[in-house]
Amino acid sequence: MPKTPMSSKVKAAALAAIAATTGLALTTAAPLAAHHHSAKKEAANIVQTAQSTGVHNTLVAAVSAAGLVDTLSADGAFTVFAPTDTGFAKLPEGTVATLVKPENKETLTGILTYHVVGGNITSAKLLNYIEKGNGTARIKTLAGGILEARLDGETIVITDGAGRTAAVTTADVMTSNGVIHVTDGVFLPA
């Protein structure tokens, strides 16, 4: 049976659900927002934002080990699908400890850049891509791999090259150099 485009009611419901999760993003980033209350202060970049959440410690350590702090702190725009510490904990035991070793820097860099897309892809844009793709959006990452995004009820679900899925649990965390979508799993290339 062919897939039909998303109805305006379904799209509106999905956007409302994503807007609700965006409220969680504001709660998560509250300490950072309070710190940067002055209009004269510059907004936090992707790395600074991830450092402030308290749930991205593994991601921040991995970004540092891969030497990507300067890249993800630079002018963007970037879209980062950011796994939480709980998402990293779903990997087989010892995986993260092995990946952050200096001899595995290239592999780690490949995995991390597989979570990054060039440009500002907000949840509204992602939903539009899903609708235009008849239910599936194919997204090319900085690592050169493809992620597939679909809507499962009101949740955006991403499938990686290895067939693993992760849900976007918090969407549209806006930063000075892009947008973060928090995920509950780690993506692995094929």
Side-chain angles (χ1 to χ4, degrees):
M1 176 179 209
K3 293 183 180 178
T4 58
M6 194 181 327
S7 75
S8 59
K9 280 186 174 180
V10 171
K11 188 172 182 178
L15 285 171
I18 290 167
T21 61
T22 302
L24 293 175
L26 294 174
T27 302
T28 302
L32 185 64
H35 179 60
H36 292 288
H37 66 281
S38 169
K40 293 182 180 181
K41 291 193 179 190
E42 191 173 312
N45 63 43
I46 288 168
V47 174
Q48 292 166 332
T49 301
Q51 290 170 331
S52 74
T53 67
V55 297
H56 290 104
N57 299 323
T58 305
L59 177 62
V60 171
V63 165
S64 180
L68 293 172
V69 171
D70 289 343
T71 301
L72 293 176
S73 297
D75 291 341
F78 302 107
T79 298
V80 176
F81 294 96
T84 61
D85 296 336
T86 305
F88 275 101
K90 292 178 183 178
L91 294 171
E93 190 172 333
T95 301
V96 175
T98 300
L99 285 172
V100 297
K101 291 181 179 179
E103 62 267 24
N104 296 321
K105 183 177 180 178
E106 186 176 330
T107 301
L108 179 60
T109 300
I111 291 170
L112 292 174
T113 57
Y114 190 55
H115 290 75
V116 182
V117 178
N120 257 337
I121 302 176
T122 62
S123 60
K125 284 182 185 177
L126 191 53
L127 285 173
N128 189 39
Y129 297 155
I130 291 169
E131 182 177 3
K132 285 182 178 180
N134 291 322
T136 302
R138 293 178 49 83
I139 308 161
K140 187 171 183 176
T141 69
L142 291 186
I146 300 293
L147 296 173
E148 290 188 351
R150 291 183 180 83
L151 202 53
D152 182 9
E154 297 177 346
T155 303
I156 295 173
V157 176
I158 310 291
T159 303
D160 65 17
R164 298 166 49 100
T165 60
V168 173
T169 58
T170 304
D172 296 332
V173 180
M174 304 309 289
T175 71
S176 66
N177 62 340
V179 60
I180 297 172
H181 300 298
V182 179
T183 65
D184 65 358
V186 176
F187 306 141
L188 299 173

